Amino acid sequence: MKVTMVGTGYVGLVSGVCFADFGHEVVCVDKDPAKIDTLNAGGVPIYEPGLEDLIAKNVKAGRLSFTTDLKTAMQGTDAVFIAVGTPSRRGDGYADLSYVYAAAEEIAGLIPTGDNSFTVVVNKSTVPVGTGDEVERIMAEHVSRAAFEVVSNPEFLREGAAIDDFKRPDRVVVGTKDSRAEAVMRELYRPLYLNETPIVFTERRTSELIKYAANAFLATKITFINEMADLCEAVGANVQEVARGIGLDKRIGNKFLHAGPGYGGSCFPKDTLALARTAEEANVSLSIVSSVIDANEARKRRMANKIVAALGGDVHGLRICILGLAFKPNTDDMRDAPSLTIIPRLVDKGAEIVAYDPEAMEEAKKHLPDIAYTDCPYAAIDGADAVVIVTEWDEFRAFDMRRVKELLNAPNVIDLRNIYRGKQMRALGFSYTNIGYPAVPANESA
Ligand SMILES: NC(=O)c1ccc[n+]([C@@H]2O[C@H](COP(=O)([O-])OP(=O)(O)OC[C@H]3O[C@@H](n4cnc5c(N)ncnc54)[C@H](O)[C@@H]3O)[C@@H](O)[C@H]2O)c1
């Protein structure tokens, strides 16, 4: 099959590369010439494990190419994917669909209209219910209805594990009732039949809603365990054992039960907001989703207070080392990262920040230009009054803690991801604060 991917960001690039690796012929299009130049020069504009090698392999095999020219890219194409951004519209939380509609307009003008020509326009961007109807309306202004079908195919990949998620998904969701479009979609995803991946065929509106419902549910799970963590701290219980104790129940499951500083990233914050706005418009109360949004925002803000409290209530003049800036490990994505809420608050309270992240520092500098950065975690720790672990990169899990203690000006560790054990840290002489534990467990003598 011949595939055109419009938008070569996280989702477009990973999807395009993986479709090429399935054996399809893929052209990835982006309107950002710098991005396309980087890709054509063998570079990768984002950090995603395994992506660089997979791009090189498929470019070499002649199945994958990059261009800014949509017209050339669409020649002979069976399916055009829209994989452009749908950020929150400033101020009101609605999904900004201007990129989707602009892409639809551009595509509409290029859809072949010959007797038997048929192109599937696949919306992979996360879009509110009814967006497919509008894309269809835009197309129909330019092309006869018989020449195209608009399908919803939301993407569920996770940054940091994107290739594996695309190639071994729990399910693929396809929203269409058109048999010709269904046949094209089945052919595109045929390699997944080997793994017996369930493909959920449904109506377009239902498919659009499935994506938001999935993200809102996962955000709720995270927020639930975060609130349990607060309760654990107040009543002297252990949140990781609570998570294990409930997660072993198959009806609950153990995923997304890690207490932390609040969810961030390119999807959960904007998608929960957009879902809440959709419900508002439909006069339906989604009180759980609204509470999750409020609780998560408040939590990110409270994390700065937690750090200040752990350091005696005043951080003025203290040098605080922040480890991890990206919203999660294995990505350089800084969108809505908790670090973006925590760091400015510490700066406002007079702290001096020195930060380290294995991949996200270039991105972080765009948002936090006035803090110090180092290219080695031990350099960031050197002379600091506290270490705060904000993102759980693997390289932070096995620090030489004796060296850390020697380098620190004061032995304070605030671990917002629970990657260390309180008892061991206290035995090493650290003042250690984490999430969802009593300050010093009653049964711990150390
Ligand atoms: N990032 C994720 O982990 C993830 C996961 C699942 C779903 N999604 C959804 O996928 C969509 C894309 O997200 P993303 O993170 O890949 O976005 P992104 O911002 O990384 O990439 C979007 C790309 O589209 C390009 N673009 C915009 N308009 C264009 C046009 N008319 N023609 C060609 N290129 C155009 C931009 O230049 C940019 O490179 C969003 O709706 C998002 O919610 C994202």
Side-chain angles (χ1 to χ4, degrees):
M1 295 241 117
K2 192 167 174 230
V3 174
T4 309
M5 192 63 66
V6 180
T8 308
Y10 260 102
V11 165
L13 182 56
V14 171
S15 308
V17 173
C18 291
F19 275 134
D21 210 47
F22 286 170
H24 302 303
E25 196 185 317
V26 180
V27 186
C28 289
V29 186
D30 206 285
K31 63 178 183 187
D32 178 352
K35 206 170 258 192
I36 295 301
D37 287 349
T38 303
L39 286 159
N40 279 328
V44 185
I46 52 169
Y47 174 75
E48 181 62 41
L51 192 56
E52 192 167 353
D53 289 349
L54 208 62
I55 292 174
K57 177 185 157 198
N58 285 283
V59 168
K60 196 169 168 218
R63 291 190 294 262
L64 178 66
S65 58
F66 305 99
T67 181
T68 52
D69 180 13
L70 181 61
K71 189 173 178 186
T72 320
M74 273 187 57
Q75 273 162 19
T77 199
D78 296 292
V80 193
F81 281 77
I82 299 177
V84 300
T86 48
S88 275
R89 212 161 65 184
R90 240 170 254 283
D92 60 12
Y94 279 91
D96 178 352
L97 296 172
S98 57
Y99 301 100
V100 172
Y101 295 148
E105 286 279 357
E106 290 163 35
I107 293 166
L110 297 168
I111 294 226
T113 50
D115 275 353
N116 290 320
S117 44
F118 178 64
T119 309
V120 183
V121 179
V122 190
N123 198 359
K124 210 166 223 341
S125 298
T126 302
V127 291
V129 175
T131 305
D133 302 355
E134 179 60 14
V135 170
E136 184 178 305
R137 196 195 58 72
I138 293 170
M139 296 283 150
E141 278 182 2
H142 299 260
V143 212
S144 92
R145 231 0 239 101
F148 73 93
E149 188 62 36
V150 176
V151 169
S152 160
N153 173 220
E155 184 49 56
F156 298 95
L157 61 77
R158 293 163 302 166
E159 289 175 17
I163 293 170
D164 204 52
D165 283 351
F166 194 90
K167 290 184 148 194
R168 276 169 282 277
D170 292 337
R171 79 314 203 177
V172 171
V173 174
V174 178
T176 184
K177 284 293 158 197
D178 182 273
S179 57
R180 291 181 303 169
E182 183 177 327
V184 170
M185 296 306 286
R186 279 196 194 280
E187 185 57 22
L188 281 173
Y189 283 106
R190 193 161 52 88
L192 297 184
Y193 297 163
L194 287 176
N195 312 334
E196 299 184 351
T197 302
I199 304 205
V200 179
F201 280 96
T202 180
E203 282 176 348
R204 197 164 62 201
R205 284 181 163 247
T206 307
S207 167
E208 290 168 339
L209 188 56
I210 286 171
K211 172 66 189 174
Y212 281 104
N215 275 0
F217 192 85
L218 294 171
T220 303
K221 226 175 154 185
I222 295 173
T223 306
F224 178 85
I225 202 66
N226 283 341
E227 291 201 331
M228 284 302 129
D230 290 346
L231 188 58
C232 286
E233 287 173 19
V235 300
N238 172 330
V239 76
Q240 282 179 304
E241 287 172 17
V242 170
R244 184 169 150 74
I246 63 172
L248 284 167
D249 184 330
K250 289 194 182 63
R251 293 168 302 177
I252 296 173
N254 60 7
K255 302 274 167 53
F256 285 77
L257 284 181
H258 301 287
Y263 62 75
S266 61
C267 292
F268 289 176
K270 80 172 175 64
D271 292 348
T272 44
L273 271 177
L275 181 62
R277 295 294 166 266
T278 298
E280 247 173 55
E281 269 189 351
N283 282 321
V284 171
S285 159
L286 288 191
S287 59
I288 293 176
V289 176
S290 302
S291 304
V292 163
I293 294 166
D294 293 345
N296 192 64
E297 281 310 306
R299 180 168 194 82
K300 288 200 267 185
R301 291 193 296 270
R302 272 206 318 280
M303 284 300 117
N305 298 348
K306 184 178 173 84
I307 295 164
V308 174
L311 298 176
D314 183 11
V315 292
H316 198 269
L318 294 188
R319 184 178 163 92
I320 299 180
C321 159
I322 300 283
L323 296 181
L325 297 162
F327 83 94
K328 68 174 182 179
N330 297 324
T331 181
D332 59 354
D333 201 331
M334 286 294 298
R335 287 178 275 188
D336 275 315
S339 62
L340 293 177
T341 305
I342 295 168
I343 292 173
R345 282 169 183 267
L346 294 176
V347 170
D348 280 352
K349 291 175 195 296
E352 179 199 338
I353 303 293
V354 53
Y356 169 78
D357 186 288
E359 296 294 339
M361 288 195 290
E362 286 315 306
E363 272 305 303
K365 283 173 191 170
K366 296 177 192 164
H367 305 272
L368 301 165
D370 297 327
I371 61 169
Y373 295 87
T374 64
D375 49 16
C376 151
Y378 289 106
I381 292 164
D382 194 3
D385 297 290
V387 173
V388 182
I389 299 168
V390 180
T391 315
E392 68 280 31
W393 285 90
D394 276 348
E395 69 179 75
F396 301 157
R397 292 177 188 272
F399 274 135
D400 174 351
M401 277 301 168
R402 288 192 173 79
R403 184 174 169 204
V404 169
K405 187 150 174 268
E406 272 167 25
L407 287 173
L408 278 171
N409 187 38
N412 296 307
V413 173
I414 298 142
D415 176 3
L416 302 183
R417 299 290 182 172
N418 287 345
I419 60 175
Y420 283 95
R421 293 281 156 268
K423 193 169 177 182
Q424 287 164 6
M425 293 295 280
R426 282 185 279 275
L428 287 167
F430 286 99
S431 163
Y432 176 78
T433 307
N434 59 353
I435 300 278
Y437 285 76
V440 177
N443 61 353
E444 184 182 313
S445 52

